[in-house]
Amino acid sequence: MTQTLAVLLPVFHDRDCAQLVRRLGLAWGVLMLLAVPAQGQDRSLEARIAAFARCPALNFPPPEGDDVRLVPEMLWAPPNPIPPQSELRDPSSWVAPESAIDRHKALRARAGVSMPSGEQQVLVFEVIAHSSLGEISLVASRNNEGHWSVDELAEFGVGGNDAAIRHRTWTLPWSDGFALDDELADPCVDAEPLRSTHAEFSLDLTYVWTLETTGRQPTLRVERHYWGFGRASRIRDLLHKGSPR
């Protein structure tokens, strides 16, 4: 398969076609590693770790704009996009978290804001806990023309008498929409651990988020802490990137 792709690659002069061929080769390799016959949990675990290791490491970029003040620059050096071996070898890292769609609906019901609909969506549910509890429902929907629209509903001070609600919507620029499509099509996002507490930095608060997709095969559902790492975190970052300041 790899030799066949190497022969075909020079034939494609169009950048997108060449990129597609390279990605198909990577997808084939990842799928072959994930398809290793399992003889007990250990071999299955080794296959998953090998598939993840086959994918190029992806450094998650430091935050921009208003978020910079929250993150001392020293915490980003050196970047570490790879979770520790202790986490990779923990079987629970490869078990998908529960869907957060019911939590999206419950938060939006409290605020009287309807759940966006769409055939292809990316949903991120974030929980932030420090001196008070905050919940954020982020739902991105792709229309037939390829535009991604984002609907954010946030509640700060959940359960308190002074809870504050914020509802915002925005549309991703074409460039970010294309980048989002590209990340969702990358087979390496499916090779990443499904649960991880690893992050390139952390702060003195609890910050956990669940990202999941609808209308995508295979369905993606992962849990990360803080800014996380890798391609799942890049997807979340792209959704937040266009938010109004």
Side-chain angles (χ1 to χ4, degrees), residues 24-106:
L24 286 173
L26 180 59
W28 179 265
V30 170
L31 288 173
M32 288 301 97
L33 284 168
L34 289 175
V36 173
Q39 297 181 354
Q41 181 62 44
D42 289 344
R43 191 168 184 184
S44 176
L45 189 62
E46 291 298 330
R48 287 183 173 273
I49 294 172
F52 176 60
R54 184 182 179 90
C55 293
L58 178 66
N59 287 322
F60 186 64
E64 301 176 354
D66 293 344
D67 292 332
V68 171
R69 60 186 174 83
L70 297 176
V71 187
E73 185 176 351
M74 68 187 72
L75 292 177
W76 288 94
N80 182 16
I82 307 299
Q85 283 295 313
S86 59
E87 183 174 281
L88 292 177
R89 296 190 174 281
D90 183 348
S92 66
S93 297
W94 304 97
V95 177
E98 293 184 3
S99 172
I101 289 180
D102 286 344
R103 303 184 72 179
H104 284 274
K105 293 179 178 179

Side-chain angles (χ1 to χ4, degrees), residues 26 35 37 49 52 56 94 103-104 108 119 137 143 162 190 213 221 235-236 239:
L26 180 59
I49 294 172
F52 176 60
W94 304 97
R103 303 184 72 179
H104 284 274
R108 289 173 176 272
E119 292 186 4
S137 166
N143 66 16
D162 57 348
D190 298 297
T213 62
R221 190 189 308 145
I235 291 171
R236 173 188 169 275
L239 299 187

Side-chain angles (χ1 to χ4, degrees), residues 97-137:
E98 293 184 3
S99 172
I101 289 180
D102 286 344
R103 303 184 72 179
H104 284 274
K105 293 179 178 179
L107 171 57
R108 289 173 176 272
R110 291 198 304 268
V113 177
S114 61
M115 187 81 171
S117 60
E119 292 186 4
Q120 184 176 0
Q121 293 184 316
V122 178
L123 305 94
V124 182
F125 193 85
E126 305 182 4
V127 178
I128 307 169
H130 188 45
S131 56
S132 62
L133 179 65
E135 293 183 348
I136 301 174
S137 166

Side-chain angles (χ1 to χ4, degrees), residues 213-235:
T213 62
T214 64
R216 176 187 186 270
Q217 295 297 329
T219 298
L220 177 66
R221 190 189 308 145
V222 300
E223 180 183 277
R224 297 285 185 266
H225 287 230
Y226 305 103
W227 260 250
F229 68 95
R231 290 156 183 83
S233 292
R234 179 66 59 84
I235 291 171

